[in-house]
Amino acid sequence: RRRAIGITAPKAPTWFTFLNASFLLSWTLGVILGSQNFGLNMSPYFDYIGLNEYVDVNPSKQPPQEVMDGSRFQFVNNSVVDVRKAMGFRNLDTYCVAPIALRSPQGLVENAVNYNYWAVGLDCCSKALGDFHCGDVDVPSAHDGLRVLREDHRSFFRLAVQQAEAAYSVRAEHPVFVYWSRNATAEMNFFQEEGYKYYLVGMLAHFGWQMLAVAVISAAFSKARHL
């Protein structure tokens, strides 16, 4: 009757419509989640791998200007984090810092006037004296440092260092901030591993969703043909 008076029925959805909608959704999620994964994991890894690695760094003698292009540092074996001079700056998170010093042959932490290298971390210290547990500071064999590259973090760590300078009467003219670790290279590679992991998880999740969507749409189209 509709054809007799020139009225056509609405066109039923087709596989072409489903493929277009599926492609658009997949592309959008891929761009958003891929950019997020790159920014959080792969971009830091590429930044670290593009810089140099320095070994046998003496925190009391090595000028920071000589290692400005470094991302990984292997400090001398008698280097230690002086938790007695730890400090935290609170801005939503607590930005914790403690200077890297040398341990004397007698096992005592040597005092210095100028500290150029600082171990840092987030929410791993308090106002209590010596309460600094960032990274692998409690591991005696830890002597590595992975440099802090995030500018927004460095600015707050610098404020924490300024508080430490005032509280302990020390100087830090050109502080270098590092995450104290047993193996800085492994810490760097962790970013790459996380990037690959989230990439694979995203691929598998999309494959599973796509298979489910195809099954649901197939059932819907089959039911529609029998109406």
Side-chain angles (χ1 to χ4, degrees):
R1 172 126 185 125
R2 287 184 174 180
R3 291 182 180 178
I5 60 176
I7 300 177
T8 59
K11 192 174 181 180
T14 64
W15 281 107
F16 183 75
T17 303
F18 166 73
L19 290 175
N20 281 339
S22 176
F23 173 79
L24 179 61
L25 178 61
S26 300
W27 181 83
T28 303
L29 291 176
V31 170
I32 295 175
L33 298 180
S35 298
Q36 185 179 38
N37 185 34
F38 181 81
L40 292 176
N41 296 306
M42 300 308 297
S43 181
Y45 172 76
F46 292 138
D47 290 339
Y48 280 126
I49 203 70
L51 297 173
N52 285 327
E53 179 181 13
Y54 287 92
V55 299
D56 294 329
V57 177
N58 188 318
S60 296
K61 297 181 180 180
Q62 185 92 40
Q65 293 88 340
E66 295 181 359
V67 296
M68 294 306 292
D69 61 343
S71 65
R72 289 160 289 160
F73 305 99
Q74 294 182 22
F75 294 94
V76 292
N77 288 336
N78 62 326
S79 58
V80 63
V81 178
D82 190 351
V83 298
R84 301 171 304 173
K85 297 182 177 66
M87 183 60 67
F89 177 84
R90 180 73 177 175
N91 182 41
L92 297 181
D93 296 315
T94 301
Y95 294 80
C96 305
V97 299
I100 300 174
L102 293 177
R103 191 184 297 277
S104 68
Q106 292 76 29
L108 301 176
V109 179
E110 297 179 355
N111 291 314
V113 176
N114 188 36
Y115 292 97
N116 294 317
Y117 301 90
W118 293 73
V120 302
L122 291 178
D123 298 323
C124 49
C125 65
S126 69
K127 293 183 178 180
L129 181 64
D131 184 17
F132 182 90
H133 46 276
C134 304
D136 292 330
V137 68
D138 296 325
V139 180
S141 60
H143 301 292
D144 283 12
L146 183 67
R147 190 170 195 156
V148 178
L149 297 182
R150 287 186 55 170
E151 183 61 37
D152 56 334
H153 283 184
R154 290 207 305 262
S155 61
F156 289 117
F157 287 135
R158 187 69 181 92
L159 292 175
V161 168
Q162 291 175 0
Q163 289 185 168
E165 288 179 296
Y168 305 118
S169 300
V170 298
R171 293 200 311 269
E173 297 176 356
H174 303 285
V176 175
F177 303 120
V178 300
Y179 299 111
W180 194 249
S181 170
R182 286 169 288 186
N183 190 326
T185 300
E187 295 289 337
M188 176 190 71
N189 291 335
F190 177 77
F191 287 97
Q192 183 188 43
E193 295 167 0
E194 287 293 287
Y196 286 157
K197 182 184 76 174
Y198 284 111
Y199 170 76
L200 292 175
V201 168
M203 292 287 288
L204 293 174
H206 175 264
F207 177 77
W209 170 85
Q210 192 73 20
M211 292 294 292
L212 177 63
V214 169
V216 171
I217 294 298
S218 297
F221 284 175
S222 177
K223 184 178 181 181
R225 282 197 298 267
H226 289 85
L227 292 178

